[in-house]
Amino acid sequence: MDLKDIINERYSVRDYLPQKVEESKIKYILECAQLAPSACNLQPWYFYVIESEELRSKVCEAYNREWFKKAPVYIVVCKDTVQSWKRASDGMDSGDIDAAIAAQHICLAVHDAGLGTCWVCNFDLPSLTKSLDIPQNREAIAIFPIGYVDKEKSKILERKRKPINEISEWR
Ligand SMILES: Cc1cc2nc3c(=O)[nH]c(=O)nc-3n(C[C@H](O)[C@H](O)[C@H](O)COP(=O)(O)O)c2cc1C
């Protein structure tokens, strides 16, 4: 698939089938995340693939939504706050940027693999950190529920985007 097609077709999926996601697809998605660029190539990220019934329900305690519970697998993306590059001039920490790039690779790879996902950041961080026993040097930045799309229910909402001339200028 062309990159533009993947970008164009991807949307936030909030309706999943209970069907299990093949391990080969999860591996493909992780390989795409692994290839993301990062400041000084420090790769300050870590990914938890959550499949077990017990941990899935704990993840759902941190983001308690009916649609979210239906996903058969979750990938929790963490930044590594120790490894991340810090800009010498002002201390800017590149961890969020680096982890977000890897996260968007995940998002696009999921679509390319014939699955659906949705960025989720509105979760309870202390609850997620505790239930997954995430160490102090890592901080979850996003959760991706992943599954086959329930095409009978899933609606592509209107893609509302600001026009190019409002968000850019050529100088
Ligand atoms: C950083 C980020 C955080 C988001 N957090 C949530 C969330 O917690 N829950 C949710 O339902 N959608 C979440 N979304 C999805 C956005 O609502 C969605 O991407 C946006 O409305 C555009 O729709 P589209 O993804 O279908 O193009 C998030 C998206 C991003 C990029």
Side-chain angles (χ1 to χ4, degrees), residues 10-14 63 65 67 104 117-123 141-142 156-161:
R10 180 220 60 85
Y11 69 100
S12 292
V13 172
R14 297 184 180 88
Y63 187 70
R65 304 289 190 283
W67 68 267
Q104 185 61 8
T117 190
C118 179
W119 271 84
V120 168
C121 292
N122 191 20
F123 56 86
I141 65 130
I156 307 170
L157 302 170
E158 194 199 335
R159 312 297 298 281
K160 286 189 197 146
R161 292 296 190 267

Side-chain angles (χ1 to χ4, degrees), residues 32-34 36-37 45 47 77 97-107 144:
C32 291
Q34 179 194 28
W45 45 54
F47 310 102
V77 178
I97 298 174
D98 295 329
I101 296 168
Q104 185 61 8
H105 276 210
I106 287 176
C107 206
F144 291 93

Side-chain angles (χ1 to χ4, degrees), residues 23-52:
E23 194 179 310
S24 59
K25 292 200 172 187
I26 298 294
K27 284 186 176 159
Y28 170 72
I29 292 161
L30 289 175
E31 281 164 16
C32 291
Q34 179 194 28
L35 288 169
S38 59
C40 285
N41 199 24
L42 290 173
Q43 304 164 56
W45 45 54
Y46 199 82
F47 310 102
Y48 293 94
V49 179
I50 308 296
E51 269 188 325
S52 75

Side-chain angles (χ1 to χ4, degrees), residues 1-10 108 111-112:
M1 227 193 275
D2 281 347
L3 178 60
K4 183 68 194 294
D5 290 335
I6 296 172
I7 289 172
N8 203 28
E9 289 173 12
R10 180 220 60 85
L108 296 177
H111 180 76
D112 191 36

Side-chain angles (χ1 to χ4, degrees), residues 42-171:
L42 290 173
Q43 304 164 56
W45 45 54
Y46 199 82
F47 310 102
Y48 293 94
V49 179
I50 308 296
E51 269 188 325
S52 75
E53 200 60 50
E54 186 200 343
L55 287 181
R56 284 177 61 245
S57 66
K58 286 191 170 174
V59 168
C60 292
E61 283 171 19
Y63 187 70
N64 190 1
R65 304 289 190 283
E66 286 312 308
W67 68 267
F68 185 75
K69 291 178 192 163
K70 296 204 173 119
V73 58
Y74 303 95
I75 295 182
V76 176
V77 178
C78 295
K79 65 174 173 181
D80 188 310
T81 53
V82 175
Q83 284 180 4
S84 62
W85 178 73
K86 282 90 184 170
R87 190 161 57 198
S89 59
D90 60 2
M92 188 278 289
D93 185 339
S94 184
D96 281 317
I97 298 174
D98 295 329
I101 296 168
Q104 185 61 8
H105 276 210
I106 287 176
C107 206
L108 296 177
V110 166
H111 180 76
D112 191 36
L115 303 160
T117 190
C118 179
W119 271 84
V120 168
C121 292
N122 191 20
F123 56 86
D124 185 303
L125 182 62
S127 157
L128 189 71
T129 305
K130 187 161 181 260
S131 53
L132 296 185
D133 201 16
I134 296 175
Q136 251 193 334
N137 61 310
R138 292 183 198 138
E139 185 182 316
I141 65 130
I143 309 173
F144 291 93
I146 297 171
Y148 282 91
V149 183
D150 184 343
K151 289 187 177 150
E152 293 202 344
K153 286 196 194 143
S154 188
K155 282 191 210 100
I156 307 170
L157 302 170
E158 194 199 335
R159 312 297 298 281
K160 286 189 197 146
R161 292 296 190 267
K162 295 176 185 174
I164 297 272
N165 63 1
E166 251 183 49
I167 59 165
S168 68
E169 62 184 64
W170 294 35
R171 290 185 161 185

